[in-house]
Amino acid sequence: MSLRENQIMQPEEFRLLREFVAAEFGLLMDEGRVAYLSSRLLPRLRELHLETFMDYYTHLKFSPRGGEELRQFISLVTNNETYFFREDAQLQVLAGHVIPLLKVRKQRDGERKIRIYSAGCSSGEEVYTIAMILLESGHFLWEWDLMVSGIDVDPLMIKRAQEGVYCGRAFQSTPQQLLDKYFSRVGDCYRVKNSLRAITSFQQGNLLTLDPFLGKEPVDVIFCRNVFIYFSDDTTRKVVESFANLLEPDGYLFLGHSESLSRISSLFQPSRHPGAIVYSKRG
Ligand SMILES: C[S@@+](CC[C@H](N)C(=O)[O-])C[C@H]1O[C@@H](n2cnc3c(N)ncnc32)[C@H](O)[C@@H]1O
């Protein structure tokens, strides 16, 4: 038997792969994704000379090279949609409300250090956006230690973020003056300048297992936008609990505009701003 051009996986194959994805990464996939997932995996089956999706599942889960394949597989099942200055209302709250409060708090405590995470950072646009907002706020001069760190489970996205070269649609909401100031032109695209690179970092990591990040420096703000829409409530609850452990007392959490913690967790207190909700960790 050989692979057909548009081979679609059997219900049992889909069930096993779906359960695998949910257990490993927390991502939910409904039945409507069968054709999509089949078409994304078919090229991998061909490259690995496998004949069925069940063979692929067995390879992924049980073969000694399964770990290596997992890195390819994750890139095929994640949605990495992102762009600079996404969801402006929230960024206004960061710039106009959170950053000034953080500055006052930090100065009071004599600690000139700001740590921000972008959890599920995709190809890095969110990280560089936050870094631009910090630098543009005018609150932090050279004596401040600033770091915006991106974490994503998809190694391909982390590589792109580290390369820092972006084109076209990525800049759909970027003010021209910031494009000119923080990027240099390379052909039809733009490369992030060192002023932004210096206060950013990227790391591959799974939000379901954030233990490696615990015990490092506490974090002031976590952005986790447009990630929980793909998680079950139970998974979201677990990740939110690890966020609460990572954050400073009174630390802030930003979710995507269609995501909410009501029914999920009481560890955070929502505060409403024009067009945006921001969560702060309950004391
Ligand atoms: C739609 S993008 C959102 C990017 C950015 N936060 C934004 O709002 O523009 C979702 C990202 O979450 C990442 N992701 C999904 N599950 C994850 C997990 N378990 N651990 C870390 N990242 C995950 C995906 O790889 C993807 O890059």
Side-chain angles (χ1 to χ4, degrees):
M1 199 170 78
S2 62
L3 274 175
R4 293 189 315 276
E5 180 81 0
N6 296 318
Q7 190 160 316
I8 301 278
M9 60 183 72
Q10 298 298 310
E12 177 63 2
E13 293 171 323
F14 180 65
R15 185 184 68 76
L16 288 169
L17 283 164
R18 177 168 71 177
E19 285 177 9
F20 181 78
V21 169
E24 289 282 328
F25 315 116
L27 300 170
L28 296 180
M29 293 192 297
D30 62 27
E31 309 287 338
R33 303 260 290 174
V34 173
Y36 172 81
L37 187 62
S38 305
S39 70
R40 300 226 59 189
L41 292 184
L42 265 179
R44 284 305 298 149
L45 267 68
R46 286 202 186 92
E47 281 167 42
L48 294 163
H49 307 291
L50 300 173
E51 293 189 341
T52 66
F53 292 100
M54 187 63 86
D55 293 343
Y56 183 78
Y57 169 76
T58 309
H59 175 72
L60 198 57
K61 184 133 192 205
F62 302 110
S63 118
R65 307 199 66 177
E68 213 174 285
E69 183 59 28
L70 196 61
R71 295 170 70 80
Q72 306 254 6
F73 178 67
I74 185 63
S75 296
L76 300 174
V77 295
T78 50
N79 176 337
N80 307 115
E81 163 74 12
T82 189
Y83 51 91
F84 291 100
F85 292 93
R86 186 176 192 181
E87 293 178 27
D88 183 58
Q90 295 188 331
L91 303 176
Q92 299 284 350
V93 179
L94 174 71
H97 177 74
V98 171
I99 288 178
L101 272 179
L102 272 181
K103 183 177 181 187
V104 170
R105 234 185 256 167
K106 295 277 174 173
Q107 278 181 323
R108 184 195 59 202
D109 299 343
E111 194 202 21
R112 291 175 174 255
K113 192 188 267 190
I114 305 278
R115 295 286 177 264
I116 301 184
Y117 274 1
S118 159
C121 66
S122 188
S123 37
E125 287 89 328
E126 186 170 81
V127 169
Y128 292 123
T129 298
I130 298 167
M132 282 187 265
I133 290 170
L134 279 176
L135 294 181
E136 287 297 302
S137 74
H139 285 300
F140 308 107
L141 300 175
W142 57 270
E143 74 272 25
W144 282 81
D145 173 4
L146 309 175
M147 187 54 68
V148 187
S149 305
I151 305 160
D152 201 283
V153 73
D154 186 341
L156 192 64
M157 290 303 120
I158 291 297
K159 187 163 173 276
R160 280 201 199 144
Q162 286 164 335
E163 283 164 4
V165 177
Y166 301 95
C167 316
R169 262 177 45 80
F171 293 109
Q172 59 186 283
S173 306
T174 310
Q176 184 64 42
Q177 151 240 353
L178 297 183
L179 184 61
D180 296 339
K181 184 166 172 184
Y182 292 106
F183 295 83
S184 29
R185 207 177 175 120
V186 275
D188 289 339
C189 301
Y190 295 86
R191 186 190 300 279
V192 170
K193 283 189 184 168
N194 284 342
S195 51
L196 281 190
R197 278 188 195 279
I199 61 161
T200 51
S201 71
F202 295 96
Q203 188 172 337
Q204 198 241 338
N206 188 342
L207 299 184
L208 269 54
T209 52
L210 277 171
D211 308 358
F213 297 90
L214 284 171
K216 288 191 177 175
E217 295 169 307
V219 182
D220 300 299
V221 184
I222 297 180
F223 275 72
C224 184
R225 302 191 302 167
N226 306 300
V227 180
F228 289 159
I229 32 171
Y230 304 104
F231 286 1
S232 70
D233 286 357
D234 275 350
T235 307
T236 301
R237 190 170 298 114
K238 279 186 204 132
V239 176
V240 166
E241 278 167 18
S242 5
F243 285 169
N245 292 331
L246 288 169
L247 278 167
E248 289 272 23
D250 306 321
Y252 296 94
L253 173 62
F254 286 80
L255 304 181
H257 77 275
S258 62
E259 297 163 322
S260 151
L261 291 187
S262 63
R263 296 183 302 111
I264 302 277
S265 172
S266 54
L267 293 171
F268 289 86
Q269 165 86 39
S271 61
R272 280 164 214 289
H273 299 264
I277 292 177
V278 182
Y279 291 90
S280 40
K281 187 168 137 178
R282 287 187 202 269

